[in-house]
Amino acid sequence: MRRLPPVLLEDGCSRELLSLIRTILAACKEISFRVGQGALSGVLGSTLDENIQGETQKKLDVLSNQLLKDILLESGTVKAIASEEEDYTVAGNPDAKFIVAFDPLDGSSNTDINSLVGTIFSIMEAPAGSDAADQSIFMQPGHKQVAAGYVLYGPSTMLALTTGKGTRMFTLDKTQGSFLLTQDFAEIPADTNEFAINTSNQRHWQPAMQNYINDLLAGDTGPRAKNFNMRWIAAMVGDVHRVLSRGGLFTYPTDTKDPKKPNKLRLLYEANPMAMLVEQAGGIASTGTERIMDIQPDAIHQRVAVILGSKNEVETCLGYHK
Ligand code: F6P
Ligand code: MN
């Protein structure tokens, strides 16, 4: 099986970008080890702190953030980082070319139940001549990403990665510490009978999503004339991995549960990298009204509605939004 560096170099990935990706993966291997140790590593449970978004931080959120932050800033390969667990961006090497936005441990409420979690990352180039401390260097639409990926800490540790030439899957061989290519080009089937949404929010959704989901639930007795199955892992990284592996529609739509927070998922380090992976595998990623990767961000922790996955099913869902 092939290791990651030669696969990426053959694709024309620069040594600089490869080095940055390998730096991220070095931190992820350490996170994988800690997550795998579970209760033995003494890092399950919550801290007494909240992040800037008002979410209680898990000990593993803080640890994963620190590992990624330290290794990235020490490597000299990044100009600045933005993280779910950092209030503001953090400046790195002023002469470096790349900036990285990441969710250090997505789905962290799953850590305490020994269920799926993962690290999501998005890599962009800093604008020429920009200041490393300037937050606005991250205000670029997702189609500017030069690479995106996630590392899923499941029964096996897997990397999904794109540098704009398809989406590939690698599996961490823990006996030697390398990510080995296990699926060359992921292709999301255009049709599906599986969807993922947190239905406990149903009464708060907008009419378009209410109508779409009602029609799925009506199964072969409804207008879709076929039965659908539902899955919800409560970690975007796990749900998107299933969609990349066997198709499906994943959505976290706009809702009115908390008027101050109509959307849940963050654009820069959740929606954008997942959108790039999904599009590179033949799927679609939209907010319901526009392509996720065309959104011009205006804040580091900006949130967006997300509907992504199998092309034909997402298009059907978007039809309800017209
Ligand atoms: O990071 C936000 C997140 O944890 C996603 O990974 C996941 O899809 C979603 O929130 C779960 O939301 P809920 O708790 O509403 O099911
Ligand atoms: Mn997350």
Side-chain angles (χ1 to χ4, degrees):
M1 258 177 260
R2 305 179 64 214
R3 293 174 60 241
L4 178 127
V7 174
L8 291 194
L9 288 174
E10 247 169 54
D11 262 0
C13 172
S14 70
R15 290 202 174 264
E16 245 175 319
L17 180 57
L18 175 62
S19 157
L20 169 54
I21 291 170
R22 295 185 75 187
T23 302
I24 295 172
L25 296 180
C28 292
K29 285 183 210 171
E30 177 70 25
I31 299 171
S32 169
F33 178 74
R34 302 292 187 103
V35 168
Q37 288 287 93
L40 302 178
S41 61
V43 291
L44 300 187
S46 300
T47 65
L48 299 173
D49 296 329
E50 279 187 351
N51 62 20
I52 196 171
Q53 306 168 61
E55 296 161 342
T56 309
Q57 286 178 306
K58 296 280 179 183
K59 288 183 191 162
L60 270 170
D61 284 325
V62 175
L63 182 104
S64 306
N65 183 56
Q66 201 63 47
L67 283 168
L68 277 158
K69 182 179 160 182
D70 287 350
I71 197 168
L72 280 169
L73 295 179
E74 277 162 21
S75 71
T77 56
V78 289
K79 188 159 196 164
I81 57 155
S83 162
E84 175 177 330
E85 308 301 340
E86 298 285 335
D87 298 358
Y88 307 103
T89 64
V90 184
N93 173 7
D95 302 321
K97 183 171 177 185
F98 300 110
I99 55 176
V100 182
F102 56 85
D103 179 351
L105 203 64
D106 177 59
S108 54
S109 71
N110 277 352
T111 50
D112 297 341
I113 57 167
N114 193 20
S115 196
L116 291 181
V117 288
T119 298
I120 310 173
F121 57 90
S122 158
I123 305 176
M124 293 185 292
E125 287 182 9
S130 57
D131 175 356
D134 181 356
Q135 312 269 314
S136 74
I137 57 181
F138 282 89
M139 301 300 106
Q140 306 182 43
H143 62 248
K144 294 270 176 87
Q145 292 172 109
V146 293
Y150 62 75
V151 176
L152 177 69
Y153 311 113
S156 53
T157 291
M158 287 189 76
L159 162 71
L161 179 69
T162 179
T163 54
K165 304 222 167 112
T167 292
R168 290 188 168 102
M169 304 279 189
F170 299 81
T171 303
L172 178 62
D173 180 345
K174 293 182 184 173
T175 63
Q176 45 150 311
S178 319
F179 281 94
L180 303 181
L181 182 67
T182 42
Q183 192 184 355
D184 211 0
F185 291 104
E187 248 178 80
I188 302 175
D191 293 300
T192 183
N193 59 4
E194 207 161 58
F195 68 100
I197 189 168
N198 183 342
T199 44
S200 70
N201 296 324
Q202 176 149 28
R203 68 191 186 284
H204 306 292
W205 298 334
Q206 295 172 330
M209 194 50 83
Q210 300 261 5
N211 295 337
Y212 169 68
I213 297 292
N214 279 340
D215 287 352
L216 299 188
L217 296 177
D220 58 9
T221 62
R224 298 298 303 275
K226 81 178 198 186
N227 293 325
F228 286 81
N229 190 19
M230 199 192 82
R231 289 283 184 267
W232 188 250
I233 292 176
M236 183 191 202
V237 70
D239 281 308
V240 171
H241 186 69
R242 185 187 57 255
V243 168
L244 282 172
S245 303
R246 68 174 186 213
L249 178 142
F250 166 86
T251 178
Y252 212 114
T254 300
D255 65 45
T256 55
K257 194 160 84 177
D258 175 356
K260 290 196 293 289
K261 211 172 82 178
N263 299 305
K264 174 136 195 187
L265 300 175
R266 275 59 56 101
L267 177 61
L268 290 194
Y269 43 82
E270 292 179 320
N272 269 342
M274 293 312 202
M276 184 171 179
L277 288 165
V278 164
E279 285 195 9
Q280 287 290 320
I284 297 181
S286 168
T287 62
T289 50
E290 69 180 313
R291 181 184 180 223
I292 284 175
M293 288 202 289
D294 283 342
I295 301 172
Q296 173 59 47
D298 53 34
I300 300 295
H301 300 291
Q302 177 173 348
R303 296 172 189 263
V304 288
V306 172
I307 306 169
L308 61 76
S310 293
K311 184 174 179 293
N312 293 343
E313 195 54 42
V314 174
E315 274 170 357
T316 302
C317 178
L318 297 183
Y320 287 70
H321 290 75
K322 289 210 173 102

